[in-house]
Amino acid sequence: MSDTEDEAAASRKRQADAPDADVGGIAVDRLRSIIERIERLEEERKALADDIKDIFSEAKSAGFDVKVVRQIIRIRKQEPAEVEEQETLLDLYRRALGM
Amino acid sequence: MSDTEDEAAASRKRQADAPDADVGGIAVDRLRSIIERIERLEEERKALADDIKDIFSEAKSAGFDVKVVRQIIRIRKQEPAEVEEQETLLDLYRRALGM
Amino acid sequence: MSDTEDEAAASRKRQADAPDADVGGIAVDRLRSIIERIERLEEERKALADDIKDIFSEAKSAGFDVKVVRQIIRIRKQEPAEVEEQETLLDLYRRALGM
Amino acid sequence: MSDTEDEAAASRKRQADAPDADVGGIAVDRLRSIIERIERLEEERKALADDIKDIFSEAKSAGFDVKVVRQIIRIRKQEPAEVEEQETLLDLYRRALGM
DNA sequence: CAAGAATTATGAACCC
DNA sequence: GGGTTCATAATTCTTG
C-alpha cells in the first residue's frame, strides 16, 4: 500500500539524514503526521455519522417523524445546560414587551 | 411611515406615564426600540441575501460553476498580499507532501 | 504576459465587435456583471451588519443582556412560523419518553 | 451501569405488559432505543471532534498555517480529477477577469 | 490570544 | 433529477 511505502520511505529518510527532514523549511514528517492523524479521525467520524444515519432510517421505517426525533434529541442535550438565570431574564424581557 | 408612527406612540406614552416607563426594572421603550430597529435591519439584510441568491441562480443558468464563482469573490475580497501568501504556503505544503 | 493580452483582446472585442466577448469560452462581461453585482450587494449587507452591531453595543451600554436580547429576537422570528402539527408530535413523543 | 439497568427495566416491562408498550400510539421502547443509540454515537462523534481540534492546535503551535492545512486535507479528500477541473476553471475565470 | 458564540458557506437529503 | 430545505463544517467576531 502507498501509505506503508511512504511511511517506510520517510522512516529511511529520518534514519539517514535527520531527526526531521525539512523541505523548503517545512517539517515534513510533522506535517504528514498531523494530516494523517486528522484524516484517520475524520474517517471514524464519518463511520459514526453513517451509523447515525442508519438509525434515523430505521426510525423513519418504524413510522416516527425524523425531524421531531431530532428535535427531541436536541432538547435532551440542551435542557440540562440551560441556565435558570437566563430563563429569568428572558421572562423579564418578554413580560416587558408584552410577549 | 410605520417607524414614525411607532415613535409617536412611544412618545405619547412617555409623556403620559413617565419619561421612560419601567416594567420590572426594564426600560421598556428603550428595549422595544432596540429590538425593532434590529428587526428592521435584519429584514433588509434578508432581502439582500435573497437578491444575492437570485444572482447565483442566474450564474448557474448561464453555465458558470457557482462554487468557483464563490471562490473568485472570496479571493477578490482578500488583500492581494494575503492571496499570494496563502497560495505560496499551499504550494509549499503540497510539495512537502509530494502532492 | 497572457493575462494582459487577454484583457486587451477582450476590451477590443467588446468595443469593436460584440455585445459580449468570450475569453477562453467564457462570457466575460456576463461573469463580470454577476460578480460585481454580488459584491455590491454584499457590501450593503456588510453595512447593515455593522449597523446591527452598533445597536447591540448600544443595548449593552444601556445595561441589557445582549445574549437574551438576541434570544428575544429569535423567538419573535420563529414563533409565527411554528407549525402546530409538529408541536403536537413533539409533545406526544416527550410524553412517551416521560420528559 | 445505568444503561444496563434501564434496559433491564424496559425488558421487564415488555414481558409484563406487552410486546412493546404503546403510549398514545407510540412504540415507547422502540423510540427510546432509537434515541439512546443515537445519543451514544453522537457522544463518540463529539469526542473525535475534540481530538481533531487538539491536533489542529498542535499544528498551530508547530507553526503551521491551520487554514492551509485544512485546505490540504480538503484537496486530498477530493478526486484528483475534481481538483484538476476546479483549478482549471478557477484559472479560466481569473484570466477572464484579468486577475 | 485563546475560547466560545454567532454567522456564513458548503454539503446532504428529501420531496415534487 | 432538480430545487429547496435541513445539517454540518468553517470562518469570523467577541469576550475573558
Side-chain angles (χ1 to χ4, degrees):
Chain A
M1 225 235 183
S2 154
D3 253 342
T4 316
E5 282 162 27
D6 288 358
E7 275 295 343
S11 179
R12 244 177 289 120
K13 198 152 183 300
R14 269 197 297 278
Q15 289 175 349
D17 304 338
D20 195 350
D22 278 20
V23 171
I26 297 298
V28 178
D29 293 340
R30 189 74 189 278
L31 178 57
R32 189 184 301 279
S33 155
I34 284 166
I35 287 173
E36 289 177 355
R37 277 183 288 150
I38 290 170
E39 286 176 340
R40 232 166 284 137
L41 292 171
E42 283 193 345
E43 265 173 53
E44 294 181 47
R45 248 166 86 76
K46 177 72 170 56
L48 287 173
D50 289 346
D51 290 348
I52 290 171
K53 210 183 300 178
D54 286 348
I55 301 178
F56 276 118
S57 293
E58 179 193 328
K60 191 180 176 178
S61 301
F64 296 110
D65 181 317
V66 170
K67 203 169 161 186
V68 177
V69 173
R70 274 185 206 280
Q71 211 173 336
I72 288 281
I73 291 169
R74 210 179 312 132
I75 289 168
R76 283 164 63 110
K77 188 158 46 188
Q78 289 170 346
E79 231 145 83
E82 251 167 13
V83 188
E84 283 312 306
E85 212 182 298
Q86 290 237 334
E87 280 282 292
T88 306
L89 263 185
L90 183 60
D91 280 355
L92 188 58
Y93 289 8
R94 288 179 85 154
R95 211 161 315 123
L97 294 164
M99 290 170 64
Chain B
M1 224 234 186
S2 153
D3 249 339
T4 316
E5 282 162 28
D6 288 1
E7 278 294 344
S11 180
R12 243 176 290 120
K13 195 157 183 297
R14 270 197 297 277
Q15 288 176 349
D17 303 340
D20 194 348
D22 278 20
V23 171
I26 298 296
V28 178
D29 293 341
R30 189 73 190 277
L31 178 57
R32 188 183 301 278
S33 155
I34 284 167
I35 287 173
E36 290 177 354
R37 278 184 288 151
I38 290 171
E39 285 176 340
R40 237 165 279 138
L41 293 171
E42 283 193 345
E43 266 173 52
E44 295 182 46
R45 247 166 88 76
K46 178 71 170 56
L48 287 172
D50 289 346
D51 291 347
I52 290 171
K53 210 184 297 180
D54 287 348
I55 300 178
F56 275 117
S57 293
E58 178 194 328
K60 190 178 178 181
S61 302
F64 295 109
D65 183 315
V66 170
K67 202 168 161 186
V68 177
V69 172
R70 275 185 206 278
Q71 210 173 339
I72 289 281
I73 291 169
R74 211 181 310 132
I75 290 170
R76 282 164 64 110
K77 197 155 41 185
Q78 291 177 341
E79 293 292 308
E82 276 287 318
V83 177
E84 183 64 22
E85 196 192 318
Q86 292 248 327
E87 285 177 355
T88 304
L89 269 182
L90 183 59
D91 280 355
L92 190 58
Y93 289 7
R94 287 177 88 155
R95 209 159 318 123
L97 294 165
M99 291 169 66
Chain C
M1 233 261 176
S2 153
D3 256 344
T4 316
E5 281 161 27
D6 287 358
E7 267 298 336
S11 180
R12 244 177 291 119
K13 200 151 183 301
R14 266 197 301 278
Q15 289 175 349
D17 308 332
D20 198 349
D22 277 22
V23 170
I26 297 297
V28 178
D29 292 342
R30 189 73 189 277
L31 178 57
R32 190 183 301 277
S33 155
I34 284 166
I35 287 174
E36 289 177 355
R37 277 183 288 151
I38 291 172
E39 286 175 339
R40 230 166 287 137
L41 293 171
E42 283 193 346
E43 266 173 51
E44 295 181 46
R45 247 167 87 77
K46 178 73 170 56
L48 288 172
D50 289 345
D51 291 348
I52 291 171
K53 213 182 297 178
D54 287 347
I55 301 179
F56 276 118
S57 293
E58 178 194 328
K60 190 180 177 179
S61 302
F64 295 110
D65 181 316
V66 171
K67 206 169 162 184
V68 177
V69 173
R70 273 186 207 279
Q71 213 173 335
I72 288 281
I73 291 169
R74 211 181 311 132
I75 289 168
R76 284 165 62 110
K77 187 159 44 190
Q78 289 170 345
E79 230 145 84
E82 251 166 14
V83 188
E84 283 311 306
E85 212 182 298
Q86 290 237 334
E87 279 283 292
T88 305
L89 265 184
L90 184 59
D91 279 356
L92 188 58
Y93 289 8
R94 288 180 84 154
R95 212 160 317 123
L97 294 164
M99 290 169 66
Chain D
M1 228 249 183
S2 152
D3 254 341
T4 315
E5 282 162 27
D6 288 358
E7 276 295 342
S11 179
R12 243 177 289 120
K13 197 156 181 296
R14 269 197 296 278
Q15 289 175 350
D17 303 339
D20 195 349
D22 278 20
V23 171
I26 298 297
V28 178
D29 293 341
R30 189 73 189 279
L31 178 57
R32 189 184 302 278
S33 155
I34 284 166
I35 287 173
E36 289 177 355
R37 278 184 288 150
I38 290 171
E39 285 176 340
R40 235 166 282 137
L41 293 170
E42 283 194 346
E43 265 173 54
E44 294 182 46
R45 244 167 88 77
K46 177 69 170 60
L48 287 172
D50 289 345
D51 291 347
I52 290 171
K53 211 184 297 182
D54 287 347
I55 301 178
F56 276 117
S57 292
E58 178 195 328
K60 189 178 178 178
S61 302
F64 295 109
D65 182 315
V66 171
K67 205 169 160 184
V68 176
V69 173
R70 274 185 206 278
Q71 210 172 338
I72 289 281
I73 291 170
R74 212 180 310 133
I75 289 169
R76 283 164 62 108
K77 199 155 39 185
Q78 292 178 342
E79 293 295 309
E82 276 288 317
V83 177
E84 182 63 22
E85 196 192 317
Q86 292 248 327
E87 285 176 356
T88 305
L89 268 183
L90 183 59
D91 280 355
L92 188 59
Y93 290 6
R94 287 177 87 155
R95 212 158 318 121
L97 294 166
M99 290 168 66

